[in-house]
Amino acid sequence: MLLQPLLTSTATAVIKPIVLKYAPSTLRASPVIGQTLVVVDQSKLLETRTNGQIKIDIYWSQTLAKATELSAGVASGLIDMTICVLMESPAKLPLSCVGEMPGVSKDLWALQYAYFDLVRQEPIASELAKFKSKPVYGLMTQEINIISRVPIRSLADLKGKKIASGGIAGEELKQLGLQP
């Protein structure tokens, strides 16, 4: 005996993709380089590997939340994904900032692995949970240097000089009493 198929229509259901709001702390640079390249490539990879079931909407230039409010944006549900630059909100995530401390390591590869292992353990895991956040990967950045026409040997040598900088780097310079 032949069984008739229960569904004789060839129509298939269209599944709407899950749309995630990605709010990086950076401005989109042109051409796309550095952290912006990571954001773009990561988004494309997620969309490709999920066969379009996940779509990423990127909100550049801190349009969903300021860089210092990204963790609060995730906790509130305003933001689904971000690269949380911990030094932008050390008061909120003080333990998580251990990898950003100067002088911890000059070997970024080793620091990356050690840090990612550390943030998945207590007490840092609980600190991140307060903001409904889970570490997916760590992104360590290289040291930032000031380039000058005159020798700079101490912080005092920078006093009174205008320093081209932006974002959190500019804020850090202000906190040091300098003029970004």
Side-chain angles (χ1 to χ4, degrees), residues 11 14 19 22-23 26 29 33 35 38-39 46 52 57 59 66 73 100 103 106-107 118 121-122 126 132 146 157:
V14 177
V19 179
Y22 194 163
T26 61
I33 56 174
Q35 191 183 89
V38 171
V39 169
L46 280 169
D57 284 346
Y59 293 83
K66 291 183 177 188
E100 301 286 342
K106 289 195 177 265
D107 183 344
L118 192 61
Q121 299 178 41
E122 292 300 334
S126 292
K132 299 179 183 174
I146 294 176
D157 292 340

Side-chain angles (χ1 to χ4, degrees), residues 101-108 140-146:
M101 295 174 64
V104 172
S105 176
K106 289 195 177 265
D107 183 344
L108 292 178
M140 307 316 277
T141 56
Q142 62 199 22
E143 292 180 9
I144 298 171
N145 299 302
I146 294 176

Side-chain angles (χ1 to χ4, degrees), residues 3 5 25 37-40 48 54 56 64 67 80-81 84 93 102 110 122 125 151 155-156 161-162 164 166:
L3 296 175
S25 62
L37 181 62
V38 171
V39 169
V40 170
T48 301
I54 293 178
I56 309 294
L64 285 182
D80 298 308
M81 296 173 56
C84 189
L93 300 162
E122 292 300 334
L155 196 55
K161 295 194 175 10
K162 291 182 182 177

